[in-house]
Amino acid sequence: MATRRKPSSKPSEIPPEVRSEEAKPPHPDALSLAPPKFGLIIPVAAAFFLSFFYLVFVKYRIEPDLRRSIAINAAMSFGAFVLAVRMIPVAARYVLRRNLYGFDINKKGTPQGNIKVPESLGIVIGIVYLVIAILFQHFNFTSDSNWLVEYNAALASICFMILLGFVDDVLDVPWRAKLVLPSFAALPLLMAYAGHTTIIIPKPLIQYVGVAVLDLGWIYKLYMGMLAVFCTNSINIHAGLNGLEAGQTVVISAAVLIHNVIQIGASTDPEYQQAHAFSIYLVLPLLTTSLALLSYNWYPSSVFVGDTYTYFAGMALAVVGILGHYSETLLLFFLPQVLNFLYSCPQLFKIIPCPRHRLPRFDPQTGLLTGTKDGTLVNLFLRLFGRCTEQMLCIRLLIFQALSCLLCFWLRYVLAGWYK
């Protein structure tokens, strides 16, 4: 590299060899992302989908038309995966051109910590998801379908949340406003909701309540709005590690799909089956597009998902839980997010000081993370189980997410017939 010389009183021409060595800023179009990390993702995804299709086409006797719709949705979702994998590098160049990038704080002090990482790539996932979900209507719904209005209302809420998430990425909206944004995005869903507003009282509590089924009326819709607010923000605050946001969405989506198939196979009520099939139609493309994003966001991350993705994923899971009528089960799948939210409340509500980034401390000499006193599950795991690398910490948290989903299935099995 050319060294700087002291200025001379006589003008001199810069030698060609020095000029050739002068640093030039790279053009954004010259960005070359690391290839997607399929080594771990493809085998795990293949194992899950084999189990999923076994349940749909072998284990349970599901109506042929319903199987056909699920198969079409699965094929289109695979197309969404391929499209998202191809589009992420293209979009990364555009966001870098607009200076939408960040530096990985958990790699500060290392060469990787100085790399500009494209931000807000969740916008690609959201757009691909919406296109596939809209096109799927052509193959499944007729113009007089009872589900078409709620399906489009769900897509409107998801689209609204993608927009608000991208606004947050660009304008850096304060935390108090973030708590309100999902309630606006949920309005199309709440206004179009035509389902029941009743809840089944747990059998041990019927003698105290006096009825087995209680109609909550507008309170039920208020609960649905609060559920949408919680789901979107809970994924957003349980974050900060490469692969954690997309990874937890993948695990929850996989659990939701298995739950829906089991409920369809165990029921003979066509309306009940359609409600859970409706959920499958929205979750399958969410799972595949999230896998595409995870292949670039896994450690070491080539792109950041941004608030656009966390809001989008949370709203998508909220609407399927609401319209599929299994919000209680969904909250059990969200157990780590519930614990993280409760643990974070003192800082979120300013009872104790809350820094901008509640991340663990990174030691560039060892490459290990150390937990701080901030109220997050990420820091709690480090304090409980000791220092570890970012990748290992993310794996531990995703295993905890998977175990929480298994606990939910076990509780439903154990309490079936006694609780409700």
Side-chain angles (χ1 to χ4, degrees):
M1 185 174 181
T3 58
R4 301 185 66 182
R5 298 182 180 181
K6 293 182 180 180
S8 173
S9 57
K10 297 182 180 180
S12 60
E13 186 178 352
I14 300 177
E17 62 272 13
V18 175
R19 287 202 306 266
S20 65
E21 293 178 7
E22 288 181 344
K24 294 182 180 180
H27 193 273
D29 291 338
L31 171 71
S32 178
L33 290 183
K37 305 169 187 68
F38 290 143
L40 174 65
I41 293 172
I42 293 298
V44 173
F48 166 77
F49 279 111
L50 285 175
S51 303
F52 174 75
F53 289 127
Y54 169 76
L55 294 177
V56 173
F57 295 102
V58 179
K59 175 69 174 178
Y60 296 112
R61 294 183 178 180
I62 300 176
E63 293 294 329
D65 289 343
L66 203 54
R67 283 180 174 173
R68 173 182 171 274
S69 295
I70 294 175
I72 292 174
N73 188 264
M76 296 183 69
S77 298
F78 177 75
F81 171 81
V82 175
L83 182 60
V85 169
R86 298 292 299 272
M87 289 301 297
I88 286 176
V90 177
R93 290 196 291 269
Y94 280 94
V95 297
L96 274 182
R97 186 182 302 169
R98 295 301 178 185
N99 292 324
L100 284 174
Y101 63 84
F103 297 97
D104 200 327
I105 298 177
N106 288 331
K107 299 178 181 63
K108 188 176 181 180
T110 67
Q112 286 182 323
N114 297 322
I115 297 175
K116 294 180 179 180
V117 182
E119 181 70 88
S120 306
L121 267 297
I123 189 68
V124 177
I125 304 305
I127 292 173
V128 171
Y129 173 89
L130 285 175
V131 170
I132 295 300
I134 292 171
L135 290 176
F136 175 71
Q137 296 182 68
H138 174 72
F139 299 96
N140 190 70
F141 297 108
T142 59
S143 58
D144 59 344
S145 174
N146 295 329
W147 288 97
L148 188 58
V149 174
E150 291 187 350
Y151 187 84
N152 283 320
L155 294 184
S157 291
I158 293 171
C159 183
F160 201 171
M161 200 67 252
I162 293 171
L163 172 63
L164 293 177
F166 192 69
V167 168
D168 185 19
D169 280 333
V170 176
L171 301 182
D172 197 14
V173 177
W175 263 107
R176 292 181 181 178
K178 291 182 180 183
L179 295 175
V180 180
L181 292 179
S183 59
F184 293 119
L187 286 177
L189 177 64
L190 298 180
M191 295 302 102
Y193 182 75
H196 64 75
T197 56
T198 58
I199 59 172
I200 300 175
I201 303 299
K203 291 180 179 179
L205 300 179
I206 292 179
Q207 57 180 331
Y208 302 104
V209 179
V211 294
V213 178
L214 180 63
D215 189 358
L216 296 179
W218 65 269
I219 298 178
Y220 189 84
K221 287 195 173 184
L222 178 62
Y223 161 73
M224 292 192 299
M226 294 175 64
L227 179 65
V229 171
F230 169 76
C231 290
T232 51
N233 283 287
S234 64
I235 292 181
N236 192 38
I237 64 175
H238 186 40
L241 303 176
N242 290 172
L244 181 57
E245 298 94 327
Q248 63 186 291
T249 303
V250 166
V251 174
I252 296 173
S253 299
V256 166
L257 286 173
I258 296 298
H259 169 70
N260 285 317
V261 174
I262 292 175
Q263 295 305 307
I264 290 174
S267 175
T268 57
D269 181 5
E271 189 71 15
Y272 186 80
Q273 290 181 333
Q274 282 297 328
H276 285 281
F278 179 94
S279 177
I280 291 176
Y281 303 151
L282 290 174
V283 175
L284 255 178
L286 172 65
L287 174 59
T288 57
T289 52
S290 296
L291 283 170
L293 182 60
L294 184 60
S295 68
Y296 286 99
N297 185 240
W298 188 251
Y299 182 92
S301 178
S302 303
V303 300
F304 289 151
V305 302
D307 290 343
T308 307
Y309 175 77
T310 57
Y311 285 162
F312 150 68
M315 181 58 75
L317 290 170
V319 297
V320 299
I322 291 170
L323 297 179
H325 308 299
Y326 56 90
S327 56
E328 291 180 358
T329 301
L330 183 67
L331 285 176
L332 288 175
F333 289 150
F334 270 78
L335 180 60
Q337 287 73 21
V338 172
L339 296 176
N340 185 66
F341 171 74
L342 295 175
Y343 190 43
S344 299
C345 278
Q347 286 187 317
L348 294 179
F349 295 104
K350 306 297 182 181
I351 299 174
I352 60 176
C354 180
R356 176 174 173 77
H357 297 292
R358 301 183 300 160
L359 297 176
R361 289 192 302 270
F362 174 70
D363 184 355
Q365 302 298 325
T366 62
L368 301 179
L369 296 175
T370 303
T372 65
K373 294 182 179 180
D374 291 317
T376 65
L377 211 57
V378 170
N379 285 301
L380 181 61
F381 263 58
L382 287 170
R383 294 202 300 269
L384 291 177
F385 304 111
R387 301 195 306 163
C388 65
T389 63
E390 181 180 1
Q391 184 178 23
M392 180 54 64
L393 177 59
C394 183
I395 292 174
R396 290 176 180 176
L397 289 167
L398 294 182
I399 290 175
F400 179 58
Q401 186 80 59
L403 292 176
S404 299
C405 294
L406 290 176
L407 174 64
C408 174
F409 285 117
W410 180 78
L411 287 175
R412 286 187 61 89
Y413 174 78
V414 170
L415 300 179
W418 174 82
Y419 182 68
K420 285 187 179 180

